[in-house]
């Protein structure tokens, strides 16, 4: 495999003091919003709420998050068949593409970082496509765009593209080649000829070049192969609690988990940041928050919960294996339920456990984001989590 390894990699965006990523990393705890661009968001519950997958709704959330000082917004990618994951709600049948969504949001926003998730092995994508498209969006967003490169863990998704599911570790080997080619295309000022194991380029070239060396690279992982990939390529790793959604179990397990992924980056002489997805249910008091939580769970769309559990049971994701179907009713990676003071205390605990950032989800996004901004953000600043 001739990947032109003699070519130096492009500078990382964090090496530029003026880059949007550097500004985000200057915060004691990065703060992101996990946009609900899929119907039902993270919660297959029939409890009434305003949350919507539509672009206008997500654009309003993004602009409000930017005004509140959030550092980034994130969109997931799924390929779901007719009926979604089932249930009365047809959970996640509707979903916006996060790459197109980020492109549109780039024209509406000024400061906030926009992260798109892309399944690079479906189709498949070609690295030259993403090198050109990504550099274009990087310029539209003035360096505020990043890509969450994922390989796909669900067997029914690749079949939609007429493909067979690829074995777990091989997917990361392919992703490594893809990302290596991407970075060489973004770096090289000359034509690049590459004969890899999975992609081939003959005198390929991509301009414009990204604003700050290359766009921000993100990955989501919970396996040794994924750790190694993230250690070599990613600026931010989206991590999952290895001990399930209950915070009492997650907090003791996270330090070792985070240390392992950061050690993988250390092998390559790199500094990797981690970000986790807490689902926050916050009201003025702990009792009110738990009453809200109980309504969400009591009104579960059980058909959708069971459908989503079957989906994960057939997949080979290593990150979610200790999450229970009951946890999926609220959704998110770890659950934080309580009043503003309690929520802030638990965010401090996630920071102490080694998390460098948060990618927050809510059940009813608009009012819950507003309450978080009014009641929790000031406490986070007082606690030294935010500047």
């Amino acid at each position: 495999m001739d990947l032109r390894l003699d070519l130096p990699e492009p500078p990382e965006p964090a090496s530029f003091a003026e880059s949007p990523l550097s500004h985000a990393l200057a915060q004691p705890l990065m703060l992101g919003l996990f946009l609900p661009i899929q119907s039902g968001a993270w919660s297959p519950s029939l409890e009434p709420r305003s949350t919507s997958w539509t672009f206008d709704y997500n654009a309003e959330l993004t602009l409000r998050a930017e005004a509140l000082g959030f550092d980034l917004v994130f969109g997931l990618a799924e390929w779901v068949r007719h009926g979604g994951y089932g249930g009365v709600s047809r959970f996640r049948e509707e979903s916006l593409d996060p790459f197109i969504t980020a492109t549109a949001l780039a024209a509406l926003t000024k400061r906030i970082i926009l992260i798109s998730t892309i399944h690079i092995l479906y189709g498949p994508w070609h690295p030259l496509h993403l090198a050109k498209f990504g550099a274009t969006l990087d310029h539209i967003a003035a360096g505020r765009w990043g890509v969450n490169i994922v390989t796909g863990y669900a067997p029914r998704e690749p079949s939609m593209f007429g493909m067979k599911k690829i074995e777990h570790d091989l997917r990361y080997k392919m992703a490594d080649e893809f990302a290596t080619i991407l970075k060489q295309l973004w770096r090289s000022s000359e034509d690049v000829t590459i004969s890899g194991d999975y992609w081939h380029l003959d005198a390929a070239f991509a301009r414009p070049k990204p604003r700050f060396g290359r766009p921000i690279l993100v990955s989501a992982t919970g396996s040794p192969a994924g750790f190694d990939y993230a250690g070599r390529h990613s600026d931010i790793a989206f991590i999952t609690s290895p001990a399930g959604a209950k915070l009492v179990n997650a907090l003791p397990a996270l330090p070792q988990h985070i240390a392992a992924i950061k050690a993988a980056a250390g092998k390559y002489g790199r500094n990797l940041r981690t970000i986790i997805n807490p689902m926050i249910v916050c009201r003025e008091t702990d009792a009110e928050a738990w009453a809200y939580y109980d309504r969400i769970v009591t009104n579960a769309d059980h058909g959708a919960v069971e459908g989503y559990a079957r989906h994960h049971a057939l997949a080979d994701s290593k990150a979610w294996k200790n999450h229970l179907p009951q946890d999926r009713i609220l959704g998110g990676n770890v659950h934080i339920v309580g009043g503003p003071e309690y929520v802030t205390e638990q965010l401090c605990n996630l920071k102490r456990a080694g998390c460098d950032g948060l990618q927050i989800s809510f059940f009813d996004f608009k009012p819950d984001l507003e309450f978080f901004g009014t009641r929790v953000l000031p406490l986070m600043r007082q606690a030294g989590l935010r500047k």
Side-chain angles (χ1 to χ4, degrees), residues 10-319:
E12 298 184 356
S15 68
F16 297 85
E18 70 275 22
S19 75
L21 180 59
S22 289
H23 292 161
L25 296 178
Q27 288 286 349
L29 189 67
M30 283 186 293
L31 185 57
L33 185 67
F34 212 156
L35 293 174
I37 60 172
Q38 65 285 345
S39 56
W42 282 264
S43 309
S45 172
L46 302 176
E47 173 71 13
R49 54 179 158 162
S50 68
T51 302
S52 170
W53 60 269
T54 60
F55 177 76
D56 286 350
Y57 186 91
N58 280 276
E60 287 184 44
L61 289 176
T62 301
L63 290 168
R64 186 61 185 136
E66 183 173 61
L68 288 170
F70 278 58
D71 302 303
L72 63 149
V73 293
F74 204 115
L76 64 72
E78 284 187 310
W79 298 93
V80 181
R81 291 179 179 166
H82 175 67
Y85 293 109
V88 175
S89 62
R90 304 163 74 96
F91 186 53
R92 293 190 175 178
E93 183 179 50
E94 308 273 8
S95 65
L96 298 177
D97 175 76
F99 187 51
I100 302 300
T101 300
T103 306
L105 290 173
L108 300 178
T109 52
K110 300 295 183 185
R111 187 195 56 80
I112 201 163
I113 292 170
L114 311 164
I115 306 292
S116 306
T117 302
I118 296 179
H119 290 90
I120 58 163
L121 304 183
Y122 293 171
W125 276 79
H126 194 283
L128 186 58
H129 278 131
L130 192 51
K132 181 70 171 182
F133 298 164
T136 300
L137 182 45
D138 177 88
H139 276 262
I140 294 170
R144 294 182 294 114
W145 178 72
V147 55
N148 175 32
I149 289 179
V150 295
T151 63
Y153 63 86
R156 71 180 187 178
E157 289 189 341
S159 67
M160 294 174 71
F161 293 86
M163 302 170 64
K164 291 184 178 179
K165 184 182 174 187
I166 302 166
E167 187 271 330
H168 179 277
D169 285 8
L170 177 57
R171 296 199 304 268
Y172 278 105
K173 183 180 178 183
M174 296 173 72
D176 174 62
E177 181 173 302
F178 191 103
T180 300
I181 295 171
L182 260 186
K183 290 193 287 187
Q184 291 189 6
L185 287 166
W186 283 327
R187 170 67 174 82
S188 180
S189 58
E190 300 177 355
D191 293 342
V192 176
T193 296
I194 294 173
S195 181
D197 290 335
Y198 311 103
W199 287 277
H200 304 274
L201 298 84
D202 184 11
F205 187 68
R207 273 196 187 275
K209 299 303 181 186
R211 294 282 296 275
F212 300 103
R214 59 164 172 75
I216 301 162
L217 294 179
V218 183
S219 59
T221 182
S223 68
F227 283 13
D228 186 73
Y229 168 87
R232 182 172 179 184
H233 298 290
S234 301
D235 302 300
I236 299 171
F238 186 79
I239 60 167
T240 301
S241 160
K246 289 184 173 59
L247 210 56
V248 66
N249 299 324
L251 287 171
L254 280 169
Q256 183 178 357
H257 186 70
I258 292 169
I261 194 168
K262 292 199 172 187
K267 289 191 309 180
Y268 297 102
R270 303 186 62 250
N271 184 13
L272 175 72
R273 271 58 171 218
T274 58
I275 193 164
I276 196 167
N277 168 222
M279 186 69 158
I280 294 179
V281 177
C282 189
R283 285 293 182 268
E284 203 58 60
T285 66
D286 291 353
E288 289 176 90
W290 278 106
Y292 185 27
Y293 171 88
D294 288 342
R295 292 199 304 273
I296 295 167
V297 172
T298 298
N299 288 296
D301 185 348
H302 292 288
V305 175
E306 291 164 8
Y308 200 64
R310 285 194 300 270
H311 164 77
H312 272 277
L314 293 171
D316 64 0
S317 170
K318 312 299 183 187

Side-chain angles (χ1 to χ4, degrees), residues 33 57 60-61 63-65 67-68 70 282-283 362 364-378:
L33 185 67
Y57 186 91
E60 287 184 44
L61 289 176
L63 290 168
R64 186 61 185 136
L68 288 170
F70 278 58
C282 189
R283 285 293 182 268
F362 300 108
D364 196 354
F365 269 77
K366 275 190 182 178
D368 291 355
L369 173 61
E370 201 62 39
F371 186 83
F372 180 89
T374 302
R375 294 290 287 112
V376 179
L377 265 178

